[in-house]
Amino acid sequence: MKLDILAFGVHPDDVELSCAGTLMIEKLNGKRVGIIDLTQGELGTRGTADTRKQEAIDSLKILGLDLRENLSMADGFFKNDEEHQLKIITAIRKHQPEVVLCNAPEDRHPDHGRSANLIEDAAFLAGLRRIETKLDGKVQEIWKPKYVFNYIQDRYLNPDFVVDITPVFEKKTEAIKAFKTQFFNPDLKEPQTYLSTPDFLDSVIYRSKMMGKMIGVKYAEGFISKKMIGIKTFDSLIKETT
Ligand SMILES: [Zn+2]
């Protein structure tokens, strides 16, 4: 399936916490939007690979996006090497996205920065014709996404641009809560983690509010771009007093 936007996350729920609002806005805007999780999050303290798989499916229904795949890489131990780059290159050539979203360039969880480097390197390599990949026995066409943006996760990083997600913010929190084993859930008898306290979910809301305040809207998500961003007209700018 040709996608306009493809968001990679190393753990199922990374995308929900960081850029799901933007993905829903783009879907409402008529774009084809998908998610690829690199791992099943099998090293997580709470839940199992199976519960997280079901949670990812439940969340996708709430988000209403076009597809979600899982590359079954090893949580915690995947590397930015040829083997893993080829898996990402194959996925990028399969879906031919114009825009790729990936993990934060550095973060509390060391998997996040490593995943960002892996996706950024593979997005470049996917455009090189001397790297041959096959899917279902057929040689794939090369594909170079036009932009790769990092979303912002746990640690605050200064965004290069910010997207208004106010119309879909409630759905974003619903999708996060679909990960019932991961976040605050008083009914669950599993060890508490950094993510499972009520304060953590509050912090996701505060972050969205803070990003929103910077552009004069209620809720927003921020992104980082290594490449200069070009716009066609000033019409797409949010014109609020800030
Ligand atoms: Zn993560």
Side-chain angles (χ1 to χ4, degrees):
M1 179 191 285
K2 158 93 177 107
L3 293 175
D4 298 296
I5 296 141
L6 175 55
F8 286 93
V10 58
H11 310 115
D13 73 21
D14 284 354
V15 163
E16 276 78 0
L17 289 166
S18 312
C19 65
T22 303
L23 298 183
M24 281 187 280
I25 291 287
E26 289 297 339
K27 182 66 193 163
L28 289 172
N29 195 25
K31 297 292 192 292
R32 299 186 75 93
V33 183
I35 300 172
I36 295 186
D37 303 309
L38 268 48
T39 76
Q40 296 175 321
E42 64 270 22
L43 294 186
T45 304
R46 291 157 64 99
T48 63
D50 282 343
T51 56
R52 293 189 82 167
K53 192 174 174 185
Q54 186 56 49
E55 290 165 352
I57 293 168
D58 294 343
S59 167
L60 185 69
K61 278 188 204 140
I62 295 165
L63 298 173
L65 306 180
D66 296 291
L67 69 86
R68 182 168 212 154
E69 293 177 0
N70 193 300
L71 296 181
S72 298
M73 292 180 181
D75 190 6
F77 296 105
F78 70 93
K79 291 192 168 76
N80 181 9
D81 61 9
E82 184 178 350
E83 177 198 338
H84 293 81
Q85 286 166 1
L86 286 170
K87 283 189 180 179
I88 305 290
I89 292 168
T90 304
I92 288 173
R93 288 176 174 176
K94 177 181 174 189
H95 296 296
Q96 304 184 337
E98 306 298 331
V99 174
V100 162
L101 303 180
C102 67
N103 287 98
E106 51 183 302
D107 209 14
R108 171 180 175 268
H109 198 311
D111 278 2
H112 293 170
R114 200 160 73 259
S115 166
N117 289 334
L118 168 61
I119 305 298
E120 286 166 23
D121 290 351
F124 183 85
L125 296 173
L128 301 185
R129 71 183 181 90
R130 295 202 186 275
I131 299 175
E132 189 183 287
T133 51
K134 285 185 181 174
L135 185 68
D136 302 328
K138 279 168 101 177
V139 175
Q140 291 183 298
E141 279 178 45
I142 61 166
W143 185 262
K144 179 102 170 52
K146 311 306 176 290
Y147 287 99
V148 179
F149 299 135
N150 301 94
Y151 45 79
I152 295 167
Q153 301 190 250
D154 187 75
R155 297 292 185 251
Y156 178 77
L157 299 171
N158 207 33
D160 292 319
F161 67 94
V162 174
V163 177
D164 179 10
I165 61 158
T166 308
V168 296
F169 184 73
E170 290 307 318
K171 268 202 165 179
K172 171 176 167 145
T173 54
E174 246 183 84
I176 292 170
K177 286 176 185 164
F179 290 85
K180 291 189 185 82
T181 61
Q182 299 304 302
F183 303 112
F184 179 63
N185 182 351
D187 302 331
L188 207 67
K189 301 282 171 272
E190 289 214 52
Q192 286 290 344
T193 68
Y194 180 74
L195 306 179
S196 70
T197 64
D199 288 345
F200 180 80
L201 273 180
D202 284 349
S203 75
V204 174
I205 298 170
Y206 301 154
R207 173 68 61 74
S208 305
K209 282 190 175 182
M210 194 189 87
M211 294 283 181
K213 184 175 181 295
M214 294 196 286
I215 57 168
V217 304
K218 199 153 186 204
Y219 300 107
E221 288 170 338
F223 296 88
I224 294 167
S225 177
K226 289 197 174 119
K227 184 170 153 178
M228 182 61 69
I229 297 164
I231 61 167
K232 282 190 176 163
T233 84
F234 290 157
D235 289 343
S236 58
L237 296 175
I238 291 169
K239 298 174 189 77
E240 298 292 340
T241 306
T242 54

